[in-house]
């Protein structure tokens, strides 16, 4: 007899997500993914100056702040056919890449590692054996016996007091936990060290973006960072050398800790390479532009059909029609109304954001998220899609780190693990670690390119936008840490006529579409094992592997219409 399990809210994510599953015979038979709050920021933008959109849209989220600012200015620049100075691209790239590294480190260690790591078990480990294991895997300086003993004593103190602090609410002792005590201790040591290391990425974003969260330096036409070689009041070589020092510290942790830990932990959970496959149509976009027009990119993107990398079709420029023509959103199972009928899937330029709440209906409307499609099919987006498309495009750094990670897993697991294993729950973690290493190398390159260009005497960072009369339309896309993000703007006589954000967590956490095809979470959960329906850890493992950010996909509504603050636009 089947049993209905509801997890509401799913924790250790950004925003509010509800997941329902039907469990029968120890496996998930059917799943529903439901965003529980409305995002109405598109309506707020109507009638406003397009130059203000980046500052408003990045308030969609307090975590993914830079990504909405970047996608927004790119959309308006695309509508105006506006080229920006190459220095502005380099500075934006540095911010994006540092933000991505921060996001990936925090996701693995602080948002999802506790799905696989038993903190209480770490108290039973032999610190010398655990340190020896860690030293055999990498040269990281934080792998000393003294460090491991210090952390274990701290954890023992937490457990003895009955208050686990930041480790509260884990599924300790769950039958699905498999790591030996020494590997659990290794992971807990690096969990605490990651709290310190992630600050370096945030410092880079703060210095270059003037503030974090919610950077203040971008503008339609470039960035607001004046460059100089000899003035202390602007972005100087001295400050950029400080940025380089933080980049180097990140490099050591990403390659000698994060990439190694994911491979080591993943090797003990080899059975999870067969769970969480779901949708294997992948969408990714190129990013890290190398010219002012967005026609050359350091990191490629595109579409893969049916999990077959030989089907890869590249997306090549910011003006790529293949991408721009393929995206649409449906609301048949979403709490919205389309004026032309809810059986339609609308292109974002014609998108509508009209709420219609009905309560949760299993076969009707059950989410505030819309259902995006690419040429009529749901997609999986995110680091796995990004790594597979870059691999298919022949991107050498991706091939290098993906091969190294799979070889390490194979050595520890003592069995050959190939790229097909990435189509899985644990594979999404491996892909994110591979992407983080690729992004880290690109961060170094972008720093070098900015310094080299400044050395040539080019200090320009801004081209003034001009808004013509009439209607213009533009799309700005960005390969954000959680996947494909796109902003779509229609401008009429210098004011915003329509604005739609199609975000990564909308692609992955979407309800069924107009053809009743499930979204990525829903498809990936089917077949997941559930050892104990009262403790559905396995559901969290698969959902967390996507790194949900529901705050980006939805937004807040007060049903009592209480006025919180009144803002008067100039």
């Amino acid at each position: 007899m089947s049993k209905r399990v509801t997890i509401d809210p799913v924790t250790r994510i950004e925003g509010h997500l509800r997941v329902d599953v039907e469990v029968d015979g120890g496996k998930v038979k059917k799943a529903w993914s439901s965003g529980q709050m409305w995002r109405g920021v598109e309506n707020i933008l109507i009638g406003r100056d397009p130059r203000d959109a980046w500052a408003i849209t990045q308030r969609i989220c307090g975590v993914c702040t830079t990504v909405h600012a970047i996608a927004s200015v790119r959309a308006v620049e695309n509508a105006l056919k506006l080229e920006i100075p190459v220095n502005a691209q380099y500075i934006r790239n540095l911010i994006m890449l540092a933000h991505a590294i921060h996001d990936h480190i925090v996701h693995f260690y602080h948002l999802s590692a506790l799905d696989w790591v038993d903190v209480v078990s770490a108290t039973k480990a032999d610190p010398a054996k655990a340190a020896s294991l860690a030293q055999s895997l990498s040269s990281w300086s934080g792998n000393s016996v003294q460090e491991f003993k210090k952390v274990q004593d701290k954890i023992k103190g937490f457990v003895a007091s009955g208050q686990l602090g930041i480790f509260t609410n884990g599924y300790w002792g769950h039958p699905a936990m498999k790591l030996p005590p020494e590997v659990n201790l290794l992971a807990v040591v690096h969990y605490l060290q990651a709290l310190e290391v992630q600050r370096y990425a945030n410092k880079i974003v703060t210095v270059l973006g003037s503030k974090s969260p919610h950077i203040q330096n971008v503008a339609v036409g470039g960035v607001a960072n004046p460059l100089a070689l000899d003035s202390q009041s602007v972005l100087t070589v001295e400050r950029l050398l400080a940025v380089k020092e933080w980049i180097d510290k990140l490099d050591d942790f990403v390659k000698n800790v994060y990439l190694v830990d994911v491979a080591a932990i993943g090797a003990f959970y080899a059975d999870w390479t067969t769970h969480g496959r779901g949708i294997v149509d992948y969408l990714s976009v190129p990013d890290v532009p190398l010219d002012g027009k967005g026609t050359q990119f350091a990191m490629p993107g595109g579409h893969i059909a049916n999990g077959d990398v030989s089907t890869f079709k590249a997306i090549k420029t910011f003006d790529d029609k293949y991408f721009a023509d393929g995206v649409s959103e449906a609301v048949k199972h979403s709490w919205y109304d389309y004026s032309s009928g809810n059986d339609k899937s609308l292109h974002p330029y014609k998108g509508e954001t009209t709420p219609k709440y009905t309560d949760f209906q299993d076969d009707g409307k059950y989410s505030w998220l819309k259902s995006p499609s690419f040429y009529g099919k749901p997609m999986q987006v995110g680091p796995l899609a990004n790594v597979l498309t870059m691999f298919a495009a022949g991107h050498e750094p991706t091939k290098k780190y993906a091969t190294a990670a799979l070889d390490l897993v194979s050595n520890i697991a003592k069995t050959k693990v190939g790229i097909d294993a990435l189509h899985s729950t644990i594979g999404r973690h491996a892909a994110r670690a591979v992407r983080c290493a690729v992004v880290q190398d690109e961060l170094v390159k972008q720093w070098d390119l900015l310094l080299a260009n400044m050395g040539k005497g080019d200090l320009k960072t801004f081209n003034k936008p001009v808004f013509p009369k009439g209607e213009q339309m533009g799309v700005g896309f960005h390969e954000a840490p959680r996947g494909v993000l796109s902003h779509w703007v229609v401008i009429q006589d210098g004011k915003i006529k329509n604005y739609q954000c199609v975000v990564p967590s909308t692609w992955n956490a979407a309800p069924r579409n107009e053809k009743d095809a499930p979204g990525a979470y829903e498809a990936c959960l089917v077949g997941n094992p559930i050892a104990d329906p009262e403790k559905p850890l396995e559901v969290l493992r698969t959902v967390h592997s996507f790194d949900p950010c529901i705050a980006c996909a939805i937004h807040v509504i007060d049903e009592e219409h209480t006025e919180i603050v009144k803002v008067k636009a100039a």
Side-chain angles (χ1 to χ4, degrees), residues 314-537:
I315 295 168
K316 297 179 179 176
T317 74
F318 280 155
D319 287 318
D320 194 294
K321 279 184 64 62
Y322 176 58
F323 176 79
D325 291 347
V327 178
S328 64
E329 290 189 299
V331 297
K332 180 179 178 182
H333 294 283
S334 309
W335 287 314
Y336 297 95
D337 236 356
Y338 278 169
S339 57
S340 57
N342 293 333
D343 58 340
K344 305 288 192 303
S345 188
L346 299 182
H347 189 276
Y349 286 142
K350 299 182 181 300
E352 300 173 5
T353 310
T354 307
K356 183 183 181 182
Y357 184 71
T358 64
D359 210 344
F360 194 104
Q361 302 170 329
D362 281 5
D363 298 318
K365 292 177 178 289
Y366 59 89
S367 178
W368 281 115
L369 276 66
K370 295 180 180 177
S371 299
S373 296
F374 190 60
Y375 291 99
K377 296 188 70 173
M379 294 285 133
Q380 180 178 162
V381 304
L384 175 55
N386 190 216
V387 165
L388 289 174
T389 54
M390 290 195 293
F391 191 94
H395 188 244
E396 289 299 331
T398 301
K399 291 165 65 177
K400 179 180 79 172
Y401 288 115
T403 301
L406 291 170
D407 285 349
L408 183 55
V409 172
S410 300
N411 288 337
I412 297 173
K414 301 188 187 311
T415 183
K416 182 63 179 176
V417 178
I419 195 167
D420 194 56
L422 296 178
H423 304 290
S424 65
T425 295
I426 202 74
R428 276 184 282 278
H429 286 292
R432 187 173 288 105
V434 168
R435 180 176 193 268
C436 194
V438 172
V439 165
Q440 172 65 36
D441 281 358
E442 197 53 49
L443 184 62
V444 175
K445 290 178 185 174
Q446 293 298 310
W447 188 89
D448 288 341
L449 286 170
L450 176 60
L451 268 289
N453 202 53
M454 290 173 65
K456 295 176 186 173
D458 179 3
L459 302 177
K460 192 173 184 180
T461 59
F462 179 71
N463 289 334
K464 185 178 179 180
V466 176
F467 289 85
K469 288 288 184 184
E471 183 178 277
Q472 302 89 40
M473 295 188 291
V475 55
F477 59 66
H478 167 38
E479 186 63 31
R482 292 168 176 84
V484 176
L485 168 68
S486 56
H487 284 210
W488 307 73
V489 64
V490 180
I491 302 169
Q492 180 71 49
D493 297 332
K495 299 290 184 184
I496 294 175
K497 180 180 177 183
N498 197 4
Y499 201 101
Q500 293 291 319
C501 309
V502 185
V503 312
S505 290
T506 309
W507 284 100
N508 288 331
R512 289 159 179 74
N513 67 10
E514 78 281 11
K515 302 171 186 171
D516 297 326
Y521 291 3
E522 296 175 335
C524 290
L525 283 169
V526 173
N528 258 224
I530 302 289
D532 181 356
E534 299 300 321
K535 298 176 181 177
L537 170 62

Side-chain angles (χ1 to χ4, degrees), residues 44 48 56 563-570:
I44 294 172
R48 292 186 180 273
I56 296 171
E563 184 175 287
I564 305 298
V565 64
K566 181 179 287 186
V567 178
K568 183 178 180 181

